[in-house]
Amino acid sequence: MKLGMAVGATALTLSGLSVIPAAAADVSVQAYSCNATWTSEGTDDSKYYAGYYSGETVQPSSTSVSAAGKEAQCILKHKGYSPGTVDGIFGSNSQVAAKKFQARVNELCGRRVLAVDGKVGPATWPYLRQVYICWDENN
């Protein structure tokens, strides 16, 4: 067994490939400021915004920093659902917070209006941006 490993390491060395482990990646995370505010432009158009993303269609990424990720994390945090560090990466803590939010919306509406999947996409954004609203299925 040791001979096979030595032969393999020698072959890699002779081929010009290194067998030295790569250095650990820099895993530092930048925390973003979070200030979700309620706009009062009109009764039908009032929504929560944090200043990072203004739409309601982009699903935050679980692997990279996105404006939608920062926006969703800020609003979830403002509403009392802890997404962990507001870093723009919609990882496991953010997904758990989104699931709790989605389950609460369903509870308040008295029926399943959102999939409890931890994803903030086109179905969840409108509920996240509102204080509380439960639309009639016909609207």
Side-chain angles (χ1 to χ4, degrees):
M1 180 70 148
K2 289 182 182 178
L3 178 62
M5 290 174 65
V7 170
T10 302
L12 285 173
T13 302
L14 292 174
S15 69
L17 297 175
S18 174
V19 291
I20 300 170
D26 181 13
V27 292
S28 61
V29 174
Q30 179 178 350
Y32 292 91
S33 63
C34 196
N35 187 22
T37 57
W38 177 251
T39 64
S40 55
E41 297 171 3
T43 56
D44 292 337
D45 200 29
S46 297
K47 297 178 182 180
Y48 278 109
Y49 289 99
Y52 293 107
Y53 168 70
S54 61
E56 294 185 355
T57 58
V58 174
Q59 182 175 313
S61 173
S62 64
T63 59
S64 62
V65 175
S66 70
K70 291 182 275 188
E71 184 80 7
Q73 288 173 327
C74 282
I75 297 172
L76 284 165
K77 182 178 179 179
H78 181 78
K79 290 188 170 199
Y81 300 91
S82 178
T85 302
V86 176
D87 58 5
I89 301 170
F90 214 75
S92 59
N93 290 336
S94 298
Q95 291 170 28
V96 167
K99 284 180 183 179
K100 288 178 180 178
F101 172 76
Q102 291 163 333
R104 183 67 176 145
V105 167
N106 290 343
E107 179 184 338
L108 292 171
C109 289
R111 65 184 192 281
R112 183 181 181 270
V113 294
L114 294 175
V116 181
D117 58 8
K119 298 176 182 175
V120 177
T124 300
W125 273 113
Y127 288 94
L128 193 57
R129 292 230 185 256
Q130 296 296 324
V131 170
Y132 168 74
I133 192 163
C134 191
W135 293 285
D136 185 335
E137 290 179 352
N138 297 323
N139 290 339

